[in-house]
Amino acid sequence: DLTRVGLVNPADPPTREDMQRLVDRGDTLIIIDALDPAGHLIGADTNTSEGIQKVVRTFIDPFAGRCLLIIDHVAKDKESRGRFSIGSQRKLAAVDVHIGLSLIGSKPLTREGGEARTQITIHKDRFGGIRRGPGNRCGVITWTAAPGGERITHTVTDTHDEPHGDD
């Protein structure tokens, strides 16, 4: 039921009352975009375990039992990229499922239109319910943009049995 999805973009650190109002709204899907800016908003250093724990207590724990999607970014340099996102390894420990998206090939989606594909890879599945194939791959998203970038559509393909090229 996606009828209870809301958008909040705070400019100031949330108070306990602010967080309680968000919890009381009853949203069924909560999206945090992105984790590091949320941490910086409350003065947490997301490169440390203590900072990540502060982010977890502030933004994640209040929504226990709900679907929480946290967007986090990896290092731009593929060589320095680890198994988890930028910052503390505590991020990986705090989540039940960690999904990675990576561009297949070198063709990005542009406003001129066209098509790009991203590989869905499961890095962590605490409960073991996500079906996946070789390399922990579970699917591909094909993004198609109309010329002018007015409309972007996507198709998700279950490819757990198909090997794919570039990671």
Side-chain angles (χ1 to χ4, degrees):
D1 177 19
L2 293 179
T3 60
R4 295 296 313 149
V5 177
L7 172 65
V8 177
N9 189 12
D12 298 309
T15 64
R16 281 200 163 109
E17 293 78 21
D18 293 335
M19 291 305 295
Q20 190 58 52
R21 275 194 297 279
L22 289 174
V23 169
D24 291 345
R25 284 173 26 159
D27 294 339
T28 55
L29 173 64
I30 296 93
I31 302 171
I32 297 176
D33 182 13
L35 190 66
D36 284 345
H40 294 293
L41 187 65
I42 60 171
D45 180 356
T46 57
N47 289 311
T48 68
S49 292
E50 296 79 18
I52 292 300
Q53 192 56 41
K54 185 175 181 180
V55 171
V56 168
R57 281 194 311 272
T58 304
F59 293 109
I60 298 173
D61 288 350
F63 298 105
R66 308 231 186 125
C67 181
L68 188 58
L69 174 64
I70 304 167
I71 298 170
D72 202 9
H73 301 277
V74 297
K76 290 181 182 180
D77 178 17
K78 278 187 172 186
E79 299 305 315
S80 67
R81 220 176 269 170
R83 184 171 166 230
F84 48 91
S85 304
I86 300 169
S88 170
Q89 188 170 349
R90 175 70 179 97
K91 291 178 180 181
L92 183 58
V95 299
D96 294 327
V97 176
H98 177 205
I99 298 172
L101 301 177
S102 57
L103 185 64
I104 297 173
S106 59
K107 185 177 167 188
L109 199 59
T110 67
R111 291 179 188 224
E112 286 76 42
E115 185 177 284
R117 294 168 22 122
T118 50
Q119 178 69 55
I120 306 168
T121 304
I122 305 302
H123 297 291
K124 178 179 178 181
D125 179 10
R126 186 181 313 269
F127 306 110
I130 301 174
R131 196 172 91 160
R132 54 192 161 197
N136 287 327
R137 294 179 174 112
C138 71
V140 170
I141 305 172
T142 302
W143 306 91
T144 306
E150 296 294 321
R151 181 173 166 80
I152 297 175
T153 58
H154 69 279
T155 305
V156 179
T157 308
D158 178 357
T159 60
H160 69 280
D161 291 327
E162 295 178 29
H164 285 279
D166 304 335
D167 275 337

